[in-house]
Amino acid sequence: MAYYTLEDAITRLPELLAKATDGEEVIITRLDEDLVKLVPTEPRPMTKEEMDRIKANQVVPLKPFDSTSLIRQMRDECL
């Protein structure tokens, strides 16, 4: 568990979020009192509506293609 003042947290928020995401508990304090605890959330299950939307918007190529060749071509053409 790591403690940071509110001022430190404001300037280092991306770093503290990364620490919390990695599983470390981060406590933000103000005037020597605990103010906020950052902890990662549990992932929520995907809803049926979200799955249906993903399936409806799925793009399927008309014919198989070599992605490596396509990327090389794009690189060579500076795209």
Side-chain angles (χ1 to χ4, degrees), residues 2-9 27-36:
Y3 290 85
Y4 297 89
T5 64
L6 182 58
E7 293 77 20
D8 286 340
I27 307 292
I28 300 172
T29 64
R30 180 173 55 186
L31 303 174
D32 294 328
E33 290 185 17
D34 294 356
L35 184 64
V36 174

Side-chain angles (χ1 to χ4, degrees), residues 33-79:
E33 290 185 17
D34 294 356
L35 184 64
V36 174
K37 177 166 72 170
L38 299 176
V39 292
T41 61
E42 294 294 322
R44 66 176 175 79
M46 191 173 291
T47 65
K48 182 180 181 329
E49 291 79 19
E50 290 170 326
M51 285 297 294
D52 291 343
R53 188 175 63 243
I54 289 171
K55 288 178 184 175
N57 292 311
Q58 186 176 14
V59 177
V60 179
L62 297 176
K63 61 180 182 176
F65 65 95
D66 179 16
S67 59
T68 304
S69 297
L70 177 62
I71 292 171
R72 285 184 179 140
Q73 179 185 355
M74 292 171 66
R75 180 198 62 204
D76 294 343
E77 294 174 4
C78 298
L79 295 178

